[in-house]
Amino acid sequence: MKHSISIQRLSKVSSFIAQQRNQSSFKSVILPMKETPHVPSKPRFSSSSTSSHHHTKFMNPIVRELWEQRQKTKQRMMSLTDQDSDTTGAGNIQELTANLIHQNNQEVLEKKGHVERPKFRHPSDSKTIIDYNFKSDEFLREAYMSPGGTMRFGKVLEDLDALAGNIAFHHVLGDDVMLVTAAVDRIALRDVPELDKDQRLSGQVTYVGSSSMEIRMQIHELTESSSGGGDENHGDQGDDHGQYVHDRNNWLEAYFTFVAVDPLTNKPVKICPLIPETSEERALFELGALKAEKKKQARKKTIGMVGKPMTEEAMQMEKRAEQLMNDAFPLIRMPSLADPYSILMEHTQMQNCMIAQPQVRNLSNKIFGGFLMRRAFELAFANAYSFGGEWPQMLGVDNITFNAPVNVGDLLQFTSRVIYSLPDGGKLDDVKKHSSKPLIMIEVECYVMEPEITRAYLSNRFYFTFVLPTKETCRKVLPGTLEEARRMVERMVADESGVGKGYLCQYDFVRKDDA
């Protein structure tokens, strides 16, 4: 019955509308639809709307110079490729590569007029040098000045990443690959110099695996000599017998790992092997191979731990974590009776957020890794400063991992905490003047936030070591949860086993009756 009534009503409405259409005064009326709320999406950055070279002007002077050198080399290669295509009908990129790398002394086989791809390269082929002319360049000196009058380390981190990119680029010059920063294995500082003397940043490839390469870089002070020259492709490469000489006392040493991937598939691809020539190059190559094997074994251990019995090493680490929790028990349950010189890890945390701007993108239109390192370092420095109560001194950077790239427009959240401290100090190898001074180890995590889909993922993790140069002690950091205790022990074990590091030599975790 209800159905038949609705049909009758519809027929009457249709008749009414037909009658109104025949009248000249009839006007059709469209009823407004109910609007759905508009949710704006994150704007997408398009590099085609602007020149890919203009954004380099926003970078610091050394990064800008290094990137411009790399662009000039690419342009020279493209120009020579076009000329070769006009004369021979095909661009022989391998032959052009051999011409561009003028320091390459390798023999190239010729078969029927075709030059084959170089079968190997030497460390000297990728060697790159650039100078900080602080004494003569007032603008450069001002750009790198810290509040204490020393060289601003955050800027140096950017330079190291840019130089490592140039070095890796020269090793794979001529190959159609994309280079990505896989990790920063270690950056060790003996001192941070003042800006009254010129400095030199140099580096080269020291080890090559299947698709990855290790790059070693150093910074040392320059002293004036008679005359000198430079290198157009590899930076301002003054000779030791030229304009500058140095005392071989490097105050910074850094190791970066780069990986070559296919530009289309993002999968690792094989690269040209490395053949060391000198005894020092052979020693560094063997050291790089040893570190690569240790990383490989560590990855296998991590994968194989799920669902399997704990190893002796894992059991020992778990025991240390439980001991730390026992030490933290008074601070958690009875804070008024706990050691006043101890503090929970969660109370050392600091945080900030930012939007990734296009002015800090790299040549691949991703956010420059050196910029992320600088932002992480500046937060870590502020954390160490507020924790220690005095201006800290940077000692080293360890085990920076690049898990995922950061795009222009991403919302980034940096979280910093004191992962552990050494109130009584530790053995600092050749840094004699800071031996037995309190040490602060900072962990910084960078997350990419996606509010539209309520998601976040880890992009980078950084570890920094600071010393309090005049303090006699600092608070001891303790975990508030077992998970924090495990992370603390994991970082301690990494520092204990690190090459050339002995920060934990004076930190007694194992009871005498357990030893």
Side-chain angles (χ1 to χ4, degrees):
M1 181 63 69
K2 291 182 180 179
H3 183 66
S4 61
I5 290 175
S6 63
I7 292 176
Q8 291 175 3
R9 288 178 177 175
L10 284 173
S11 62
K12 290 181 180 180
V13 172
S14 299
S15 299
F16 174 77
I17 293 175
Q19 292 174 3
Q20 294 297 322
R21 281 179 177 172
N22 295 328
Q23 299 178 9
S24 59
S25 60
F26 175 78
K27 293 182 180 180
S28 61
V29 178
I30 301 176
L31 296 177
M33 299 290 291
K34 185 178 181 181
E35 295 185 2
T36 58
H38 174 66
V39 180
S41 60
K42 184 178 72 174
R44 293 185 178 181
F45 173 74
S46 175
S47 60
S48 59
S49 62
T50 181
S51 172
S52 60
H53 307 299
H54 289 170
H55 73 281
T56 61
K57 299 182 185 300
F58 294 94
M59 307 306 294
N60 74 58
I62 298 299
V63 172
R64 182 171 67 246
E65 184 175 345
L66 287 166
W67 282 3
E68 288 176 352
Q69 288 171 7
R70 198 189 311 179
Q71 291 286 11
K72 287 179 181 178
T73 303
K74 287 182 178 179
Q75 290 172 0
R76 286 183 59 199
M77 179 174 290
M78 294 301 297
S79 176
L80 292 173
T81 303
D82 294 339
Q83 295 175 13
D84 190 58
S85 298
D86 293 339
T87 57
T88 65
N92 191 335
I93 197 71
Q94 284 78 24
E95 184 176 4
L96 298 174
T97 300
N99 292 333
L100 282 172
I101 307 178
H102 60 81
Q103 290 186 345
N104 193 355
N105 296 322
Q106 62 191 8
E107 295 182 359
V108 183
L109 301 177
E110 297 189 12
K111 294 182 179 180
K112 297 180 181 181
H114 175 72
V115 183
E116 291 187 346
R117 181 182 183 275
K119 292 188 175 181
F120 59 85
R121 288 196 174 103
H122 301 298
S124 58
D125 296 331
S126 62
K127 186 174 183 180
T128 308
I129 296 174
I130 192 164
D131 291 338
Y132 298 88
N133 298 314
F134 290 132
K135 296 200 310 188
S136 60
D137 192 334
E138 183 178 354
F139 176 80
L140 184 69
R141 186 168 61 251
E142 186 69 23
Y144 280 80
M145 183 179 295
S146 72
T150 58
M151 198 170 177
R152 188 175 169 186
F153 184 69
K155 295 281 190 180
V156 175
L157 288 175
E158 293 183 335
D159 299 342
L160 290 172
D161 195 35
L163 180 70
N166 278 30
I167 293 170
F169 170 77
H170 281 103
H171 182 80
V172 300
L173 190 61
D175 296 340
D176 185 18
V177 298
M178 183 173 66
L179 296 167
V180 295
T181 310
V184 177
D185 299 322
R186 187 190 181 197
I187 303 175
L189 283 83
R190 293 186 176 89
D191 203 356
V192 179
E194 296 183 355
L195 300 180
D196 57 345
K197 295 181 180 178
D198 294 337
Q199 306 292 329
R200 171 166 291 174
L201 171 60
S202 61
Q204 62 188 36
V205 176
T206 55
Y207 171 76
V208 170
S210 176
S211 60
S212 65
M213 67 186 87
E214 180 188 71
I215 296 167
R216 177 180 183 243
M217 293 169 287
Q218 298 172 307
I219 305 181
H220 57 259
E221 180 185 309
L222 293 174
T223 57
E224 293 184 1
S225 184
S226 54
S227 61
D231 187 290
E232 185 179 356
N233 294 324
H234 286 53
D236 190 9
Q237 294 196 63
D239 194 285
D240 283 352
H241 301 287
Q243 184 178 3
Y244 291 106
V245 296
H246 60 88
D247 58 4
R248 304 293 180 184
N249 185 20
N250 300 304
W251 57 266
L252 180 144
E253 184 179 46
Y255 287 90
F256 280 53
T257 299
F258 270 67
V259 174
V261 299
D262 186 281
L264 299 177
T265 64
N266 282 330
K267 292 183 178 180
V269 295
K270 288 187 176 182
I271 57 176
C272 189
L274 187 73
I275 303 297
E277 295 180 289
T278 66
S279 57
E280 181 182 5
E281 290 174 353
R282 286 190 289 271
L284 290 171
F285 186 90
E286 292 175 2
L287 180 62
L290 178 63
K291 288 188 287 186
E293 182 62 27
K294 283 188 175 182
K295 288 181 184 179
K296 192 174 182 180
Q297 295 298 327
R299 286 194 296 268
K300 287 182 178 179
K301 286 182 180 180
T302 303
I303 296 173
M305 282 178 62
V306 179
K308 292 186 178 181
M310 295 179 65
T311 63
E312 182 67 27
E313 181 183 2
M315 291 177 64
Q316 195 68 22
M317 292 175 65
E318 188 70 11
K319 188 176 182 180
R320 291 173 65 170
E322 292 173 358
Q323 180 60 54
L324 283 171
M325 287 303 302
N326 290 336
D327 294 343
F329 179 81
L331 193 59
I332 298 172
R333 302 298 179 188
M334 297 176 287
S336 62
L337 302 177
D339 182 3
Y341 289 99
S342 61
I343 186 173
L344 292 177
M345 184 192 298
E346 63 183 39
H347 295 155
T348 69
Q349 183 168 298
M350 298 182 73
Q351 191 178 88
N352 62 29
C353 293
M354 63 167 291
I355 299 293
Q357 302 294 338
Q359 290 77 16
V360 292
R361 70 189 190 275
N362 58 21
L363 298 178
S364 300
N365 287 316
K366 301 293 183 182
I367 295 302
F368 178 39
F371 170 78
L372 298 175
M373 286 195 290
R374 177 169 70 84
R375 290 300 299 256
F377 164 74
E378 290 172 351
L379 179 60
F381 186 93
N383 200 343
Y385 189 14
S386 62
F387 174 81
E390 74 168 0
W391 194 268
Q393 181 172 330
M394 179 70 187
L395 285 183
V397 183
D398 288 278
N399 194 29
I400 295 178
T401 57
F402 295 85
N403 300 324
V406 177
N407 298 310
V408 173
D410 282 348
L411 172 60
L412 304 180
Q413 182 185 75
F414 290 86
T415 302
S416 172
R417 65 182 62 85
V418 181
I419 192 74
Y420 71 93
S421 62
L422 300 180
D424 299 326
K427 183 180 178 183
L428 295 179
D429 301 325
D430 54 349
V431 189
K432 304 294 185 184
K433 63 180 180 180
H434 293 316
S435 182
S436 76
K437 292 295 182 180
L439 300 177
I440 305 171
M441 281 65 175
I442 304 286
E443 177 190 65
V444 181
E445 292 179 320
C446 175
Y447 278 87
V448 176
M449 316 290 286
E450 296 181 329
E452 296 89 350
I453 58 176
T454 322
R455 190 184 76 147
Y457 59 89
L458 180 67
S459 173
N460 308 92
R461 184 176 280 124
F462 313 82
Y463 291 99
F464 303 92
T465 303
F466 295 90
V467 65
L468 301 177
T470 64
K471 289 270 188 175
E472 295 300 324
T473 188
C474 68
R475 287 199 177 194
K476 181 179 179 180
V477 177
L478 294 171
T481 64
L482 185 58
E483 180 61 29
E484 287 183 350
R486 288 168 178 162
R487 290 179 65 180
M488 186 180 290
V489 171
E490 183 181 354
R491 189 64 235 161
M492 291 172 172
V493 170
D495 286 341
E496 288 174 338
S497 59
V499 178
K501 291 184 65 175
Y503 295 157
L504 304 183
C505 292
Q506 298 181 14
Y507 207 97
D508 185 15
F509 285 100
V510 182
R511 306 273 183 185
K512 292 183 178 179
D513 53 352
D514 294 333

